[in-house]
Amino acid sequence: MNRPSRSKRRHMRWTRVIGIALALAALSLATFASPFAIAWIEDESQRRAEAPRPNLASPEETRAILAAVLDKMQPVGVPPPPPERGQPPIPRRTRTLILIDDSLKLSMGVADRDWNDPGDLLISTHLEGLVSGKFRKELVLANQESHPLALNGVPGTRVVPTSVIENLFKTGWWDTFYETYPDTAGYAQITRPVLTPDRRLALIFVSHHCDGLCGTGFLHLVARSGDRWIVIESEMLWIS
């Protein structure tokens, strides 16, 4: 049996040495890098878990959530005039609220947005005590555009197309509105509500208008209770 030549034996020996060195280097690199790799994987998993992912309410949930909000708000519109001298105060009575059939659009960092668009306010730090920033950002992200809403059947309301309300204010003002919809509580526009992953909590913004100096914008945190919804926190973001 022929033995390999000396040069071939030398080449084989150096091949083994280089192979062992590369294996040891790979093992050392893996040992050194694994804590960083594990930390990166954990950070990335946490980042993705904390990333805002809007969870929209269904049409049925939207109507139920809005009904709970309006039940607490009890919008009456422009208050009645003061009574004549010697007469008892005029009692406030429930009035029908006009609902716009398109959702309110929210913006972030837009200088010329609509005056009743509270997008930047919704993600500001002063609301941290009410609800998490992630949940509030999900509300804004879910309402970057206006969407049709199926709101028929909410107690005490009447749904009107957006175009009708817009035309009223293009051709007239609040007098024209109340001539068209007498003895109402003004009109309201809402965002599409968002829910927590377990669908136990909802967040919704309601913009209510009843005259030039009669209107509010409220953020509401609503909780599911059996087959009902209950408002547990509210924060006024604007008033006129």
Side-chain angles (χ1 to χ4, degrees), residues 79-154:
E84 298 291 337
R85 184 183 297 273
Q87 297 297 315
I90 300 173
R92 292 191 176 191
R93 63 181 183 277
T94 302
R95 296 171 174 171
T96 299
L97 178 67
I98 303 299
L99 293 179
I100 290 183
D101 67 350
D102 286 319
S103 64
L104 182 64
K105 178 181 176 180
L106 302 177
S107 305
M108 289 186 291
V110 178
D112 60 347
R113 66 179 186 272
D114 192 292
W115 68 272
N116 67 331
D117 172 357
D120 289 335
L121 285 175
L122 283 168
I123 59 174
S124 66
T125 55
H126 86 279
L127 291 173
E128 288 295 340
L130 176 72
V131 65
S132 72
K134 176 177 177 287
F135 202 15
R136 286 179 282 119
K137 191 167 186 179
E138 287 172 342
L139 180 66
V140 176
L141 291 176
N143 290 279
Q144 293 288 282
E145 300 294 337
S146 186
H147 296 268
L149 296 172
L151 299 178
N152 286 310
V154 177

Side-chain angles (χ1 to χ4, degrees), residues 23-38:
L24 290 173
L27 180 61
S28 298
L29 180 61
T31 302
F32 175 77
S34 59
F36 297 96
I38 292 171

Side-chain angles (χ1 to χ4, degrees), residues 11 13 39 70 81 110 114 132 149-150 154 171 204 225 228 231 238:
H11 174 75
R13 185 163 53 249
L70 296 181
V110 178
D114 192 292
S132 72
L149 296 172
V154 177
T171 58
I204 184 174
S225 178
R228 298 175 58 244
V231 178
W238 63 261

Side-chain angles (χ1 to χ4, degrees), residues 15 32 55 65 76 79 88 106 128-129 146 160 187 212 232:
T15 301
F32 175 77
N55 188 22
I65 291 165
V76 295
L106 302 177
E128 288 295 340
S146 186
V160 174
Y187 72 88
I232 56 176

Side-chain angles (χ1 to χ4, degrees), residues 184-217:
T184 61
Y187 72 88
Q189 190 173 21
I190 71 169
T191 60
R192 297 194 295 177
V194 292
L195 305 178
T196 51
D198 61 4
R199 307 188 79 83
R200 304 301 302 174
L201 292 175
L203 201 59
I204 184 174
F205 181 81
V206 178
S207 178
H208 174 224
H209 308 264
C210 42
D211 206 336
L213 294 176
C214 175
T216 54

